[in-house]
Amino acid sequence: MTKILGLTGGIGSGKTTVSKMFCALGVPVYNADDEAKVLMHTSEKIKSEIIKVFGENAYVGNTINRSLVAQIVFKDKHKLKAINAIVHPEVARHFDQWLSQQSCPYVIKEVAILFEIGAQDQFDFILTVTAPKQNRIDRVMKRDKKTADEVHSVIQNQWDEPKKIEKSDFVIHNINLKNTEIEVKRIHKEILKAIV
């Protein structure tokens, strides 16, 4: 039975960088955020439910109006819960299909808001990636062309790092890429030892 490592961390912490390092070691990675974006554009069920909650302007043709929806959800916790309740069950179904095609000892499911959606029981191991708050803000501002305020509003909707760390099996402090790579290799060996 293939084991699942849940990989999480706050915005800008470097989850995807860490995922790519595991990928280079031959570990299959499922990025829940990327798949959610695809499903929001391709699933008629998701589209109609999002329009019910957010109105006709939530989509322009088949493309979700990301800036409008983001503005709404980061100001209104009920709407954030609503969109999660629409999208996450569909992503979970899609992941199960993907998982059934894997044959490695373990896979990674990268989930930005793993703890926030109460998904921690779905994993055999959890790895949290952290980085100093200012580093994270700077990375996201540069990467996504967002303002510091926009990044702060996302951070406010995510669990604090100490809370995530406490509930994780592994932690990577992603400050120096060489050290991060060493940690990834160490964790990879530890997981293989634990499951073989």
Side-chain angles (χ1 to χ4, degrees):
M1 180 82 174
T2 301
K3 301 289 185 190
I4 307 165
L5 170 67
L7 191 155
T8 193
I11 188 169
S13 60
K15 294 179 296 297
T16 303
T17 300
V18 169
S19 281
K20 284 176 182 164
M21 290 176 182
F22 275 101
C23 225
L25 297 172
V27 182
V29 176
Y30 180 97
N31 185 313
D33 284 358
D34 288 352
E35 296 301 337
K37 284 173 196 158
V38 171
L39 288 169
M40 281 191 263
H41 292 119
T42 56
S43 164
E44 285 303 319
K45 183 182 176 195
I46 289 177
K47 183 180 171 183
S48 68
E49 287 183 31
I50 287 176
I51 287 170
K52 262 186 232 163
V53 175
F54 294 91
E56 290 294 330
N57 293 334
Y59 276 82
V60 179
N62 279 326
T63 307
I64 192 159
N65 186 341
R66 291 185 67 74
S67 59
L68 173 84
V69 173
Q71 275 175 350
I72 295 168
V73 297
F74 290 118
K75 288 188 182 119
D76 183 339
K77 285 213 183 333
H78 296 294
K79 289 277 202 284
L80 180 63
K81 270 195 175 135
I83 196 165
N84 285 341
I86 293 166
V87 177
H88 290 296
E90 294 302 313
V91 173
R93 266 192 283 279
H94 188 263
F95 172 75
D96 287 343
Q97 284 174 345
W98 176 85
L99 181 63
S100 70
Q101 294 157 8
Q102 307 306 317
S103 58
C104 291
Y106 79 100
V107 299
I108 288 174
K109 185 177 184 182
E110 184 184 326
V111 188
I113 53 171
L114 186 154
F115 293 110
E116 292 84 345
I117 60 168
Q120 55 268 40
D121 296 338
Q122 298 168 16
F123 301 95
D124 299 289
F125 312 97
I126 295 174
L127 164 59
T128 292
V129 181
T130 74
K133 197 173 186 178
Q134 197 53 54
N135 290 29
R136 292 166 55 203
I137 291 165
D138 293 342
R139 282 174 192 166
V140 178
M141 285 171 69
K142 194 175 167 186
R143 181 189 74 197
D144 299 345
K145 309 283 180 266
K146 288 191 185 296
T147 66
D149 284 347
E150 286 173 317
V151 183
H152 273 290
S153 71
V154 175
I155 289 171
Q156 281 170 344
N157 282 299
Q158 297 183 332
W159 276 24
D160 291 335
E161 292 194 331
K163 203 171 163 190
K164 290 179 186 173
I165 289 167
E166 194 186 305
K167 294 182 176 291
S168 300
D169 301 289
F170 307 103
V171 178
I172 289 179
H173 300 288
N174 181 32
I175 301 158
N176 171 301
L177 281 180
K178 256 201 167 44
N179 290 346
T180 297
E181 209 164 344
I182 290 164
E183 282 300 288
V184 164
K185 286 175 179 167
R186 182 186 65 77
I187 291 166
H188 177 61
K189 278 182 188 156
E190 256 188 71
I191 291 172
L192 289 177
K193 218 186 286 179
I195 60 182
V196 171

